[in-house]
Amino acid sequence: MKIQLWREILGPYELAVNELVVKFNHIIDEYKEAGEYSPIELVTGRLKTISSILEKAQKKGIDLEHFQEKIEDIAGIRIICQFVEDIYKVVDIIKRRSDMRIKSEKDYINNMKESGYRSYHIIVYYNVETMKGTKEIQVEIQIRTLAMNFWATIEHSLQYKYNKNMPAHIRQRLSSAAEAILILDQEMSAVRDEIMDAQNSFNIKANTVADILTNIQNLYRVANKQEVINIQDEFFRIYQNGDKDELEKFSMHLDKIAERYGAQSLK
Ligand code: 0O2
């Protein structure tokens, strides 16, 4: 077997993980910017450790000459959603992207594993640019709810602790916990619209306040200082009143004033 230069081999995988975390976080930002509910709550990425790669290769009888093709999760992305429905929305988003190509999918949401594990897995091909040119990387994307993630994290730690010899009573407890997680996700889905409405209002308010404060700051540079102080006082009054419609009206009014001064686009 030829020498494995691990750091050189894993570099592009690390790059893929870093790039994809940035890209999926950007999706969250875009939704928030638009004042809309984001189907993605949280994104994390990890590079499989060399010891885990060796362990998986040994367990599955994979020849180390071919581990890059055979081990699909050297680069791993985890997308956490609030609701089960969001998972399928994220799957659609991934399928529509032009920067990744689907290799395979596993729906462990509708087909729960015997362990109680639930998650949606997609293996994609993703290109990274390196000194030596373009390299196609396989990336495993796991998509699950916050509740599913809670269960999987605990179960994974216990699997590690007991090294595949988990006592039956713990296995039984985990199985009951998996049932409870399933019910929890169903209950949360039932109030999804209410929660989404609340979160949308929160985002809209946050964006309106940010717009108002940017306008006030820009106006402070070009307009009469006393006039800007009066505007700020008015903003605090409306803000404290807590009337969302009045706040939005005030923001639109301020846009017009800023436009008059040509202050809207000032950074
Ligand atoms: P790690 O440490 O997370 O990287 P298999 O070998 O058949 O179990 P396969 O064919 O590689 O797995 O694919 P599968 O079943 O889609 O599992 C891939 C990954 O999903 C696993 O990677 C885990 O991260 C996660 N997973 C799958 N089943 C379970 C489970 O029962 N419990 C938990 N907590 N996670 C699971 P690795 O390499 O096994 O582990």
Side-chain angles (χ1 to χ4, degrees), residues 100-131:
M100 47 191 87
R101 189 162 55 86
I102 312 278
K103 178 186 177 189
S104 61
E105 334 171 30
K106 286 181 193 162
D107 183 350
Y108 293 132
I109 311 275
N110 285 316
N111 309 294
M112 184 170 82
K113 278 193 142 182
E114 219 181 296
S115 59
Y117 178 77
R118 288 164 72 232
S119 230
Y120 200 104
H121 290 189
I122 304 184
I123 309 293
V124 296
Y125 292 110
Y126 177 77
N127 282 347
V128 288
E129 298 302 325
T130 72
M131 231 169 68

Side-chain angles (χ1 to χ4, degrees), residues 46 48-49 52 55-56 59-60 70-74 78 106 108 113-123 140 142 144 148-149 151-157 159-160 164 171:
R46 69 103 183 90
K48 209 171 183 68
T49 61
S52 282
E55 203 180 305
K56 195 159 193 170
K59 186 177 120 195
K60 297 198 154 189
K70 300 271 174 63
I71 300 184
E72 299 173 314
D73 67 338
I74 298 172
R78 190 165 290 158
K106 286 181 193 162
Y108 293 132
K113 278 193 142 182
E114 219 181 296
S115 59
Y117 178 77
R118 288 164 72 232
S119 230
Y120 200 104
H121 290 189
I122 304 184
I123 309 293
E140 182 186 72
Q142 299 182 342
R144 48 172 88 146
M148 290 170 196
N149 192 49
W151 184 93
T153 306
I154 304 289
E155 199 260 2
H156 192 271
S157 309
Q159 261 187 43
Y160 186 78
K164 311 286 169 214
R171 170 73 36 225

Side-chain angles (χ1 to χ4, degrees), residues 207-265:
N207 287 349
T208 308
V209 168
D211 285 350
I212 290 172
L213 293 177
T214 304
N215 270 333
I216 290 177
Q217 192 170 333
N218 289 345
L219 279 169
Y220 193 72
R221 297 190 195 150
V222 291
N224 175 288
K225 302 278 181 283
Q226 189 53 51
E227 192 189 342
V228 181
I229 289 169
N230 292 344
I231 289 173
Q232 184 177 265
D233 289 346
E234 179 66 358
F235 161 65
F236 282 131
R237 189 194 62 74
I238 295 171
Y239 185 82
Q240 274 162 4
N241 250 356
D243 186 331
K244 214 176 81 217
D245 291 341
E246 207 187 340
L247 196 67
E248 273 169 35
K249 239 190 268 166
F250 180 73
S251 177
M252 285 192 279
H253 173 62
L254 203 55
D255 272 345
K256 285 197 188 114
I257 299 178
E259 206 179 318
R260 228 176 32 234
Y261 279 100
Q264 259 184 319
S265 56

Side-chain angles (χ1 to χ4, degrees), residues 23-201:
K23 288 182 174 186
F24 284 115
N25 271 320
H26 183 68
I27 296 178
I28 302 179
D29 292 343
E30 276 188 301
Y31 274 98
K32 289 210 167 135
E33 199 64 35
E36 280 179 39
Y37 168 82
S38 168
I40 301 177
E41 175 66 13
L42 189 77
V43 182
T44 60
R46 69 103 183 90
L47 185 66
K48 209 171 183 68
T49 61
I50 298 172
S51 119
S52 282
I53 294 173
L54 293 176
E55 203 180 305
K56 195 159 193 170
Q58 193 180 24
K59 186 177 120 195
K60 297 198 154 189
I62 294 168
D63 174 359
L64 276 184
E65 297 278 351
H66 300 110
F67 82 90
Q68 292 193 70
E69 300 99 78
K70 300 271 174 63
I71 300 184
E72 299 173 314
D73 67 338
I74 298 172
I77 297 290
R78 190 165 290 158
I79 296 181
I80 310 295
C81 307
Q82 297 193 53
F83 304 101
V84 178
E85 293 79 355
D86 300 334
I87 294 176
Y88 294 96
K89 204 159 176 203
V90 173
V91 171
D92 275 349
I93 290 174
I94 291 172
K95 286 183 177 170
R96 273 189 271 116
R97 292 187 71 100
S98 59
D99 57 351
M100 47 191 87
R101 189 162 55 86
I102 312 278
K103 178 186 177 189
S104 61
E105 334 171 30
K106 286 181 193 162
D107 183 350
Y108 293 132
I109 311 275
N110 285 316
N111 309 294
M112 184 170 82
K113 278 193 142 182
E114 219 181 296
S115 59
Y117 178 77
R118 288 164 72 232
S119 230
Y120 200 104
H121 290 189
I122 304 184
I123 309 293
V124 296
Y125 292 110
Y126 177 77
N127 282 347
V128 288
E129 298 302 325
T130 72
M131 231 169 68
K132 292 182 185 156
T134 307
K135 184 170 167 70
E136 191 175 65
I137 298 288
Q138 298 193 67
V139 181
E140 182 186 72
I141 306 176
Q142 299 182 342
I143 313 159
R144 48 172 88 146
T145 62
L146 287 157
M148 290 170 196
N149 192 49
F150 177 45
W151 184 93
T153 306
I154 304 289
E155 199 260 2
H156 192 271
S157 309
L158 289 171
Q159 261 187 43
Y160 186 78
K161 173 173 169 165
Y162 291 110
N163 194 22
K164 311 286 169 214
N165 296 312
M166 204 182 284
H169 70 282
I170 294 190
R171 170 73 36 225
Q172 182 51 47
R173 288 265 181 217
L174 281 169
S175 180
S176 312
E179 284 298 317
I181 293 287
L182 185 70
I183 293 167
L184 175 64
D185 271 332
Q186 282 166 353
E187 288 297 315
M188 293 313 251
S189 287
V191 290
R192 182 170 180 258
D193 287 346
E194 298 282 328
I195 297 172
M196 277 170 62
D197 273 354
Q199 289 173 354
N200 277 343
S201 306

